[in-house]
Amino acid sequence: MKRLKKILKKKKYIRIPLKKITTNHLEVKAKINGIQGRFIVDTGASNSCVGMDAIAVFNLIAEASETKAAGAGAVGMETQLSKNNHLKIGDWETHTLDLVLFDLSHVNTALTQHKAKEVSGIIGADILQKGKAVIDYNKNVLYLKKVKN
């Protein structure tokens, strides 16, 4: 049987290395609007997110949102929305990334308590679905299928 890497390469998937951090989360480096950051890959997060404190860092245009965020032990958090951003993960990219913006301090506090570095945000199921993601947990690799924007 062919190796996963060869099969996915033939199907136009892009191979992106992941880093396993001390909390057992998988981390990926990505660029939003040309600015690099570190992000947790979270298959259980419905949307990709960036912390409110990074709005200026990533040159995001924030809009009001009535949606409340929940996760990682916090509920009812105020959010904002930033539409049509450019995301580049390895050689994979999209120009239509909508981001949920909210306070990620509880996430980063938990990470630093476990001697992991803070993250800029979360890559969620919206991107993983758009890229028809395949995660090889054995090799700590994310594969995303090249998409047309």
Side-chain angles (χ1 to χ4, degrees):
M1 186 165 139
K2 289 184 180 179
R3 292 176 13 123
L4 180 64
K5 182 178 176 180
K6 285 184 180 180
I7 293 168
L8 293 176
K9 185 176 182 181
K10 200 178 247 188
K11 294 185 178 219
K12 306 278 191 243
Y13 275 79
I14 295 166
R15 185 179 192 275
I16 301 155
L18 299 171
K19 179 182 177 185
K20 189 174 185 179
I21 60 176
T22 59
T23 58
N24 277 339
H25 289 97
L26 295 175
E27 183 183 274
V28 67
K29 289 182 180 175
K31 288 184 179 181
I32 295 177
N33 301 327
I35 310 299
Q36 185 166 296
R38 280 191 323 280
F39 298 83
I40 288 176
V41 175
D42 187 347
T43 61
S46 54
N47 297 95
S48 294
C49 313
V50 167
M52 292 272 200
D53 59 339
I55 291 172
V57 171
F58 292 110
N59 302 313
L60 302 174
I61 298 170
E63 301 175 7
S65 173
E66 292 188 23
T67 304
K68 301 284 185 200
V75 292
M77 295 178 289
E78 298 292 325
T79 66
Q80 292 183 323
L81 187 62
S82 181
K83 295 182 180 177
N84 294 317
N85 295 285
H86 178 245
L87 172 69
K88 186 168 179 153
I89 307 173
D91 289 332
W92 186 91
E93 62 186 317
T94 180
H95 295 276
T96 58
L97 173 65
D98 293 345
L99 289 164
V100 174
L101 311 171
F102 71 100
D103 182 3
L104 284 177
S105 61
H106 65 289
V107 171
N108 281 319
T109 297
L111 289 172
T112 57
Q113 285 176 348
H114 288 91
K115 300 194 179 4
K117 294 179 182 174
E118 292 187 0
V119 294
S120 304
I122 296 165
I123 301 297
D126 55 344
I127 292 302
L128 299 174
Q129 288 173 338
K130 184 173 191 163
K132 299 180 180 179
V134 174
I135 301 173
D136 183 342
Y137 286 95
N138 188 43
K139 303 243 189 235
N140 292 331
V141 174
L142 170 66
Y143 293 92
L144 294 173
K145 187 171 176 98
K146 203 161 189 121
V147 292
K148 296 175 187 167
N149 286 303

Coordinates of all heavy atoms in Angstrom, one line a residue, residues 48-118:
S48 N -12.3 29.5 13.4 CA -10.9 29.9 13.7 C -11.0 31.2 14.4 O -11.9 32.0 14.2 CB -10.1 30.1 12.4 OG -10.0 28.8 11.8
C49 N -10.1 31.4 15.4 CA -10.2 32.6 16.3 C -8.8 33.2 16.5 O -7.8 32.6 16.3 CB -10.6 32.1 17.7 SG -12.0 31.0 17.7
V50 N -8.9 34.5 16.8 CA -7.7 35.2 17.2 C -8.0 36.0 18.4 O -9.2 36.5 18.6 CB -7.3 36.2 16.0 CG1 -6.2 37.2 16.5 CG2 -6.7 35.4 14.9
G51 N -7.1 36.2 19.3 CA -7.3 36.9 20.5 C -7.5 38.4 20.3 O -6.9 39.0 19.3
M52 N -8.4 39.0 21.1 CA -8.7 40.5 20.9 C -7.4 41.3 21.0 O -7.3 42.3 20.3 CB -9.6 40.9 22.1 CG -11.0 40.4 22.0 SD -12.0 41.4 20.9 CE -13.6 40.9 21.5
D53 N -6.4 40.8 21.8 CA -5.2 41.6 21.9 C -4.3 41.6 20.7 O -3.3 42.3 20.6 CB -4.4 41.1 23.1 CG -4.0 39.6 23.0 OD1 -4.7 38.9 22.3 OD2 -3.1 39.2 23.7
A54 N -4.7 40.8 19.7 CA -3.9 40.6 18.5 C -4.6 41.3 17.2 O -4.1 41.2 16.1 CB -3.6 39.2 18.2
I55 N -5.6 42.0 17.5 CA -6.3 42.7 16.4 C -5.4 43.6 15.6 O -5.3 43.5 14.4 CB -7.6 43.5 16.9 CG1 -8.6 42.5 17.4 CG2 -8.1 44.4 15.8 CD1 -9.8 43.2 18.1
A56 N -4.7 44.5 16.3 CA -3.7 45.4 15.6 C -2.5 44.6 15.0 O -2.1 45.0 13.9 CB -3.3 46.4 16.6
V57 N -2.1 43.6 15.7 CA -0.9 42.8 15.2 C -1.2 42.3 13.8 O -0.3 42.3 13.0 CB -0.6 41.7 16.2 CG1 0.5 40.7 15.7 CG2 -0.2 42.2 17.6
F58 N -2.4 41.7 13.6 CA -2.7 41.0 12.3 C -3.4 42.0 11.4 O -4.0 41.5 10.4 CB -3.5 39.8 12.6 CG -2.7 38.7 13.2 CD1 -3.0 38.3 14.5 CD2 -1.7 38.0 12.6 CE1 -2.2 37.3 15.2 CE2 -0.9 37.0 13.2 CZ -1.2 36.7 14.5
N59 N -3.5 43.3 11.7 CA -4.2 44.2 10.8 C -5.6 43.8 10.5 O -6.0 43.8 9.4 CB -3.4 44.4 9.5 CG -2.0 44.9 9.8 OD1 -1.8 45.8 10.6 ND2 -1.0 44.3 9.1
L60 N -6.3 43.4 11.6 CA -7.7 43.0 11.4 C -8.7 44.2 11.5 O -8.5 45.1 12.3 CB -8.1 42.0 12.5 CG -7.2 40.7 12.5 CD1 -7.5 39.8 13.7 CD2 -7.3 39.9 11.2
I61 N -9.8 44.1 10.8 CA -10.8 45.1 10.9 C -12.0 44.4 11.6 O -12.6 43.4 11.1 CB -11.3 45.5 9.5 CG1 -10.2 46.2 8.8 CG2 -12.5 46.4 9.6 CD1 -10.4 46.5 7.3
A62 N -12.2 44.8 12.9 CA -13.2 44.2 13.7 C -14.5 44.8 13.6 O -14.7 46.0 13.5 CB -12.7 44.3 15.2
E63 N -15.5 43.9 13.5 CA -16.9 44.3 13.5 C -17.7 43.8 14.7 O -17.3 42.8 15.3 CB -17.6 43.7 12.2 CG -17.0 44.1 10.9 CD -17.7 43.4 9.8 OE1 -18.7 42.7 10.0 OE2 -17.2 43.5 8.6
A64 N -18.7 44.5 15.1 CA -19.5 44.0 16.2 C -20.1 42.6 15.9 O -20.4 42.3 14.7 CB -20.6 45.0 16.5
S65 N -20.3 41.8 16.9 CA -21.0 40.5 16.7 C -21.8 40.3 18.0 O -21.5 40.6 19.1 CB -19.9 39.4 16.6 OG -20.5 38.2 16.7
E66 N -23.0 39.7 17.7 CA -23.9 39.3 18.8 C -23.6 37.9 19.3 O -24.2 37.4 20.3 CB -25.3 39.5 18.4 CG -25.7 40.9 18.2 CD -27.2 41.2 17.9 OE1 -28.0 40.3 18.3 OE2 -27.5 42.2 17.3
T67 N -22.7 37.2 18.6 CA -22.4 35.8 19.0 C -21.6 35.8 20.3 O -20.7 36.6 20.5 CB -21.6 35.1 17.9 OG1 -22.4 35.2 16.7 CG2 -21.3 33.7 18.2
K68 N -21.9 34.8 21.1 CA -21.1 34.6 22.4 C -20.3 33.4 22.1 O -20.7 32.4 21.6 CB -22.0 34.4 23.6 CG -23.0 35.5 23.8 CD -22.3 36.7 24.5 CE -23.3 37.7 24.9 NZ -22.8 39.0 25.1
A69 N -19.0 33.4 22.6 CA -18.1 32.3 22.5 C -18.1 31.5 23.7 O -18.3 32.0 24.8 CB -16.7 32.8 22.2
A70 N -17.8 30.2 23.6 CA -17.6 29.3 24.7 C -16.5 28.3 24.4 O -16.3 28.0 23.2 CB -18.9 28.5 25.0
G71 N -15.8 27.9 25.4 CA -14.8 26.9 25.2 C -13.7 27.0 26.2 O -13.6 28.0 26.9
A72 N -13.0 25.9 26.4 CA -11.9 25.8 27.3 C -12.3 26.3 28.7 O -11.5 27.1 29.3 CB -10.7 26.5 26.8
G73 N -13.5 26.0 29.2 CA -13.9 26.3 30.5 C -14.5 27.7 30.7 O -14.9 28.1 31.7
A74 N -14.6 28.4 29.6 CA -15.2 29.8 29.6 C -16.5 29.8 28.7 O -16.5 29.2 27.7 CB -14.2 30.8 29.2
V75 N -17.5 30.5 29.2 CA -18.7 30.6 28.4 C -19.2 32.0 28.4 O -18.9 32.9 29.2 CB -19.9 29.7 29.0 CG1 -19.5 28.2 28.8 CG2 -20.1 30.0 30.4
G76 N -20.0 32.4 27.4 CA -20.7 33.7 27.3 C -19.7 34.8 27.0 O -20.0 36.0 27.4
M77 N -18.6 34.5 26.4 CA -17.6 35.6 26.1 C -18.0 36.5 25.0 O -18.5 36.0 23.9 CB -16.2 35.0 25.9 CG -15.7 34.2 27.0 SD -14.1 33.5 26.7 CE -14.6 32.2 25.6
E78 N -17.8 37.8 25.1 CA -18.1 38.7 24.0 C -17.1 38.4 22.9 O -16.0 38.1 23.0 CB -17.9 40.2 24.5 CG -18.8 40.6 25.6 CD -20.3 40.7 25.2 OE1 -20.5 41.0 24.1 OE2 -21.1 40.3 26.0
T79 N -17.7 38.6 21.6 CA -16.9 38.4 20.5 C -17.0 39.5 19.5 O -17.9 40.3 19.6 CB -17.3 37.1 19.7 OG1 -18.6 37.3 19.2 CG2 -17.2 35.9 20.6
Q80 N -16.1 39.6 18.6 CA -16.1 40.5 17.4 C -15.8 39.6 16.2 O -15.4 38.4 16.4 CB -15.2 41.6 17.5 CG -15.5 42.6 18.6 CD -14.5 43.8 18.6 OE1 -13.3 43.6 18.4 NE2 -15.1 45.0 18.9
L81 N -16.0 40.1 15.0 CA -15.8 39.4 13.8 C -14.9 40.2 12.9 O -15.0 41.4 12.8 CB -17.2 39.1 13.1 CG -17.2 38.2 11.9 CD1 -16.7 36.8 12.3 CD2 -18.6 38.2 11.3
S82 N -14.0 39.5 12.2 CA -13.2 40.1 11.1 C -13.3 39.3 9.9 O -13.0 38.1 9.9 CB -11.7 40.2 11.6 OG -10.9 40.8 10.6
K83 N -13.7 39.9 8.8 CA -14.1 39.1 7.6 C -13.0 39.3 6.5 O -12.3 40.3 6.4 CB -15.4 39.6 7.0 CG -16.6 39.3 7.9 CD -17.9 39.8 7.2 CE -19.0 39.5 8.1 NZ -20.3 40.0 7.5
N84 N -12.9 38.3 5.6 CA -12.1 38.3 4.4 C -10.6 38.6 4.6 O -10.0 39.4 4.0 CB -12.7 39.3 3.4 CG -14.0 38.8 2.9 OD1 -14.2 37.6 2.6 ND2 -15.0 39.7 2.8
N85 N -10.0 37.8 5.6 CA -8.6 37.9 5.8 C -7.9 36.9 5.0 O -8.4 35.9 4.6 CB -8.4 37.7 7.3 CG -9.0 38.8 8.1 OD1 -8.5 40.0 8.2 ND2 -10.1 38.6 8.8
H86 N -6.6 37.2 4.8 CA -5.7 36.2 4.1 C -5.0 35.3 5.1 O -4.4 35.8 6.1 CB -4.7 37.0 3.3 CG -3.7 36.2 2.6 ND1 -2.4 36.2 2.9 CD2 -3.8 35.3 1.6 CE1 -1.7 35.3 2.1 NE2 -2.6 34.7 1.3
L87 N -5.1 34.0 5.0 CA -4.5 33.1 5.8 C -3.5 32.2 5.0 O -3.9 31.7 3.9 CB -5.5 32.2 6.5 CG -5.0 31.0 7.3 CD1 -4.2 31.4 8.5 CD2 -6.1 30.0 7.6
K88 N -2.3 32.0 5.5 CA -1.4 31.2 4.8 C -0.8 30.2 5.8 O -0.2 30.7 6.8 CB -0.3 32.0 4.1 CG 0.7 31.1 3.3 CD 1.6 32.0 2.4 CE 2.5 31.0 1.7 NZ 2.9 31.4 0.5
I89 N -0.9 28.9 5.6 CA -0.4 27.9 6.4 C 0.5 27.1 5.5 O 0.0 26.4 4.7 CB -1.5 27.0 7.1 CG1 -2.5 27.8 7.8 CG2 -0.8 26.0 8.0 CD1 -3.7 27.0 8.3
G90 N 1.8 27.2 5.7 CA 2.7 26.5 4.8 C 2.5 27.1 3.4 O 2.4 28.3 3.2
D91 N 2.3 26.3 2.4 CA 2.0 26.7 1.1 C 0.5 26.8 0.8 O 0.1 27.0 -0.4 CB 2.7 25.8 0.0 CG 4.2 26.0 0.0 OD1 4.6 27.1 0.4 OD2 4.9 25.1 -0.3
W92 N -0.4 26.5 1.8 CA -1.8 26.5 1.6 C -2.3 27.9 2.0 O -1.8 28.5 2.9 CB -2.5 25.5 2.5 CG -3.9 25.3 2.3 CD1 -4.6 24.4 1.5 CD2 -5.0 26.0 3.0 NE1 -5.9 24.6 1.6 CE2 -6.2 25.5 2.5 CE3 -5.0 27.0 4.0 CZ2 -7.4 26.0 3.0 CZ3 -6.2 27.5 4.4 CH2 -7.4 27.0 3.9
E93 N -3.3 28.4 1.2 CA -3.8 29.7 1.6 C -5.2 30.0 1.1 O -5.7 29.3 0.2 CB -2.9 30.8 1.0 CG -2.7 30.9 -0.5 CD -1.7 31.9 -0.9 OE1 -1.7 33.0 -0.3 OE2 -0.9 31.6 -1.8
T94 N -5.8 30.9 1.8 CA -7.2 31.3 1.5 C -7.2 32.9 1.7 O -6.6 33.4 2.6 CB -8.3 30.6 2.3 OG1 -9.6 31.1 1.9 CG2 -8.1 30.8 3.8
H95 N -8.0 33.5 0.9 CA -8.2 35.0 1.0 C -9.6 35.3 1.6 O -10.0 36.5 1.6 CB -8.0 35.6 -0.4 CG -6.7 35.5 -0.9 ND1 -5.6 36.4 -0.6 CD2 -6.1 34.6 -1.7 CE1 -4.5 36.0 -1.2 NE2 -4.8 34.9 -1.9
T96 N -10.3 34.3 2.0 CA -11.7 34.5 2.5 C -11.9 34.1 3.9 O -12.9 33.6 4.3 CB -12.7 33.8 1.6 OG1 -12.4 32.4 1.6 CG2 -12.6 34.4 0.2
L97 N -10.9 34.3 4.8 CA -10.9 33.8 6.2 C -11.7 34.8 7.0 O -11.4 35.9 7.1 CB -9.5 33.6 6.7 CG -9.5 33.3 8.2 CD1 -10.1 31.9 8.5 CD2 -8.0 33.4 8.7
D98 N -12.8 34.3 7.6 CA -13.5 35.1 8.6 C -13.1 34.6 10.0 O -13.0 33.4 10.2 CB -15.0 34.9 8.5 CG -15.6 35.5 7.2 OD1 -14.9 36.3 6.6 OD2 -16.7 35.1 6.8
L99 N -12.7 35.5 10.9 CA -12.2 35.1 12.2 C -13.1 35.6 13.3 O -13.7 36.7 13.2 CB -10.8 35.8 12.4 CG -9.7 35.3 11.6 CD1 -8.5 36.3 11.6 CD2 -9.2 33.9 12.1
V100 N -13.3 34.8 14.3 CA -13.9 35.2 15.5 C -12.9 35.8 16.4 O -11.8 35.2 16.6 CB -14.7 34.0 16.2 CG1 -15.3 34.4 17.5 CG2 -15.8 33.5 15.3
L101 N -13.1 37.0 17.0 CA -12.1 37.6 17.9 C -12.7 37.6 19.3 O -13.9 38.0 19.5 CB -11.9 39.1 17.4 CG -11.6 39.2 15.9 CD1 -11.6 40.7 15.5 CD2 -10.3 38.6 15.6
F102 N -11.9 37.1 20.2 CA -12.4 37.1 21.6 C -11.2 37.0 22.5 O -10.1 36.8 22.1 CB -13.5 36.1 21.9 CG -13.0 34.6 21.9 CD1 -12.7 34.0 23.1 CD2 -12.8 33.9 20.7 CE1 -12.3 32.7 23.1 CE2 -12.4 32.6 20.7 CZ -12.1 32.0 21.9
D103 N -11.4 37.2 23.8 CA -10.4 37.2 24.8 C -9.8 35.7 25.0 O -10.5 34.9 25.5 CB -10.9 37.7 26.1 CG -9.8 37.8 27.2 OD1 -8.7 37.5 27.0 OD2 -10.2 38.2 28.3
L104 N -8.6 35.5 24.6 CA -8.0 34.2 24.7 C -7.1 34.1 25.9 O -6.3 33.2 26.0 CB -7.1 33.9 23.4 CG -7.8 33.5 22.2 CD1 -6.9 33.3 21.0 CD2 -8.7 32.2 22.4
S105 N -7.2 35.0 26.8 CA -6.3 35.0 28.0 C -6.4 33.8 28.8 O -5.4 33.3 29.3 CB -6.5 36.3 28.8 OG -7.8 36.3 29.4
H106 N -7.6 33.2 28.9 CA -7.8 32.0 29.7 C -7.0 30.8 29.0 O -6.5 29.9 29.7 CB -9.2 31.7 29.9 CG -10.0 31.4 28.7 ND1 -10.3 32.3 27.7 CD2 -10.5 30.2 28.2 CE1 -10.9 31.8 26.7 NE2 -11.0 30.5 27.0
V107 N -7.0 30.8 27.7 CA -6.3 29.7 27.0 C -4.8 29.9 27.2 O -4.1 28.9 27.5 CB -6.6 29.8 25.5 CG1 -5.7 28.9 24.7 CG2 -8.1 29.5 25.2
N108 N -4.3 31.1 27.0 CA -2.9 31.4 27.2 C -2.4 31.2 28.6 O -1.3 30.7 28.8 CB -2.5 32.7 26.6 CG -2.4 32.7 25.1 OD1 -1.9 31.7 24.5 ND2 -3.0 33.7 24.4
T109 N -3.2 31.5 29.6 CA -2.9 31.3 31.0 C -2.7 29.8 31.2 O -1.7 29.3 31.8 CB -3.9 31.8 31.9 OG1 -4.0 33.3 31.8 CG2 -3.6 31.5 33.4
A110 N -3.6 29.0 30.7 CA -3.5 27.5 30.8 C -2.3 27.0 30.2 O -1.6 26.1 30.7 CB -4.8 26.8 30.3
L111 N -1.9 27.5 29.0 CA -0.7 27.1 28.3 C 0.5 27.4 29.0 O 1.4 26.5 29.2 CB -0.7 27.7 26.9 CG -1.7 27.2 25.9 CD1 -1.6 28.0 24.6 CD2 -1.5 25.7 25.5
T112 N 0.6 28.6 29.5 CA 1.9 29.0 30.2 C 2.0 28.3 31.6 O 3.1 28.1 32.0 CB 1.9 30.6 30.4 OG1 0.8 31.0 31.1 CG2 2.0 31.3 29.1
Q113 N 0.9 28.0 32.2 CA 1.0 27.2 33.4 C 1.6 25.8 33.2 O 2.1 25.2 34.1 CB -0.4 27.1 34.1 CG -0.9 28.3 34.8 CD -2.3 28.2 35.3 OE1 -3.0 27.3 35.0 NE2 -2.6 29.2 36.1
H114 N 1.5 25.3 31.9 CA 2.1 24.0 31.6 C 3.4 24.2 30.8 O 3.8 23.3 30.1 CB 1.1 23.2 30.8 CG -0.1 22.7 31.6 ND1 -1.2 23.4 31.7 CD2 -0.2 21.6 32.3 CE1 -2.1 22.7 32.5 NE2 -1.5 21.6 32.9
K115 N 4.0 25.4 31.0 CA 5.2 25.7 30.3 C 5.2 25.7 28.8 O 6.2 25.3 28.2 CB 6.3 24.8 30.9 CG 6.5 25.0 32.4 CD 7.8 24.4 32.9 CE 8.0 24.5 34.4 NZ 7.1 25.1 35.3
A116 N 4.1 26.0 28.2 CA 4.0 26.1 26.8 C 3.9 27.6 26.5 O 3.6 28.4 27.3 CB 2.7 25.4 26.3
K117 N 4.2 28.0 25.2 CA 4.2 29.4 24.8 C 2.8 29.8 24.5 O 1.9 29.0 24.1 CB 5.1 29.6 23.6 CG 6.5 29.4 23.9 CD 7.4 29.6 22.6 CE 8.8 29.4 22.9 NZ 9.6 29.5 21.6
E118 N 2.5 31.1 24.7 CA 1.2 31.6 24.3 C 1.0 31.5 22.8 O 1.9 31.4 22.0 CB 1.1 33.1 24.7 CG 1.1 33.3 26.2 CD 0.8 34.7 26.6 OE1 0.6 35.6 25.8 OE2 0.7 35.0 27.8

